[in-house]
Amino acid sequence: MVANDYLFTSESVSEGHPDKVCDRISDEVVDAYLAAEPEARVACETLTTTNRIVIAGEVRGPAGITHDHVRCVAREAVRAIGYEQAGFHWRDAAIDVYLHEQSTDIAMGVDGGAEKDEGAGDQGIMFGFACDETPVLMPAPITYAHQILQLMAEARHAGQMPELGPDSKSQVTLRYAGGRPVACTSLVVSTQHKESASTAQVREIVRGVAKKVLPEGWMPPEDEFYVNPTGQFIIGGPDGDAGLTGRKIIVDTYGGAAPHGGGAFSGKDPTKVDRSAAYAARYLAKNVVAAGLAKKCLIQLSYAIGVAKPLSIYVNTDGTGEVDEVRLAEILMDLDLSPRGIRRRLDLNKPIYARTAAYGHFGRTATADGGFSWERTDLADELKRAFN
């Protein structure tokens, strides 16, 4: 029996978190290659620590993207995030680049040709999820956790919160009654700050942001509102803790409210189904909910390296569906969910990925230049007609 009354918690981390700095740099490298050549291949990993950045991986693209160019891209990413600290500064950090040509064995399986369609870049399982808890059809805990940090970052960049630094984390616990979120029972925000800022000052800054994000009357009791529980947070970012690409996959997706296939997104071009098929699964799930066919929808896709078509599709509406799940899966499987088909439908061969590196890949607003195209609901009417 599924519990309808429970507490559920999700966390987010800001663009200045060490792992997110790495995700941003890796995705800036992806964008640099795709801007120069839309069919470029990139698998880029980044490590950061005190005043050092290491970039490694496999690429196939124009020779004009030199290691010096990649270093410039990395510095600009760190500058844009806002790091000008003694222990991590966009200008002073040493940057090592170890990017080399993509394996010919991988390329052979992925590339299309006269007698074969383009295959998946790897085997794996990918999940997509949507629910009607929020207007963006995302679980409420992760949505609020992202929004709190995003508002703080926007205010910091605008010079409205000069007391704050780039590194921060949030954690939101909501109480569910009858399967619906009804209150916030606890809120945790740890944010880097200037040495001159007092604990009380930082607490009130965070309180103001949280009140803007949470529904009216949802602020937790004062003893469940935690701001910098250790007392202070002055040393932050890669100077305080090493970062790696791909270590925040639950933050990137559904905050633990739905499964994750295990593959990270950042640093990968869209031939990698870890990224593109996860986007496609979210697109399908969101359109199912937007079409009114279910209040909640989980979709799993699976792939094999070098094989174009998905091996399987799984649909679960958790008892909220208005239509037969088997029939729904058949309709979705009839769509072109090959790596090439996904990229064409969602127009993924564009430099649109750096913006995904923080505050979640899902629940965002689709933009005119193709960013967050997987958040569109342009399939909803087609799905409605299929059942009428």
Side-chain angles (χ1 to χ4, degrees), residues 187-220:
L187 172 61
V188 184
V189 177
S190 295
T191 179
Q192 187 182 12
H193 59 87
K194 301 281 181 64
E195 193 169 2
S196 58
S198 68
T199 301
Q201 186 178 12
V202 174
R203 185 179 182 86
E204 291 312 304
I205 289 172
V206 173
R207 186 194 306 277
V209 173
K211 283 186 172 181
K212 290 180 181 179
V213 170
L214 295 174
E216 186 174 355
W218 277 34
M219 277 297 289

Side-chain angles (χ1 to χ4, degrees), residues 111-196:
D111 291 346
E115 298 185 10
K116 71 179 286 287
D117 193 5
E118 182 180 287
D122 202 353
Q123 69 176 48
I125 57 174
M126 298 83 206
F127 287 94
F129 181 72
C131 62
D132 66 352
E133 291 179 13
T134 62
V136 294
L137 304 186
M138 284 285 287
I142 188 66
T143 299
Y144 298 143
H146 284 324
Q147 288 177 353
I148 287 169
L149 297 187
Q150 199 161 15
L151 280 184
M152 288 168 57
E154 289 170 359
R156 176 176 60 83
H157 285 302
Q160 298 167 358
M161 293 182 181
E163 302 89 351
L164 303 186
D167 193 357
S168 58
K169 303 176 78 171
S170 64
Q171 185 170 286
V172 175
T173 300
L174 299 186
R175 180 165 64 87
Y176 283 69
R180 307 295 295 181
V182 296
C184 177
T185 61
S186 67
L187 172 61
V188 184
V189 177
S190 295
T191 179
Q192 187 182 12
H193 59 87
K194 301 281 181 64
E195 193 169 2
S196 58

Side-chain angles (χ1 to χ4, degrees), residues 67-110:
H67 285 187
D68 282 343
H69 182 76
V70 170
R71 290 186 186 93
C72 289
V73 165
R75 290 195 194 281
E76 177 55 27
V78 175
R79 188 199 65 77
I81 291 168
Y83 275 113
E84 296 185 343
Q85 302 170 182
F88 195 71
H89 197 296
W90 64 269
R91 185 188 60 238
D92 302 331
I95 303 178
D96 300 320
V97 179
Y98 302 101
L99 295 174
H100 59 82
E101 283 294 311
Q102 182 188 55
S103 162
T104 55
D105 288 347
I106 293 177
M108 180 173 59
V110 175

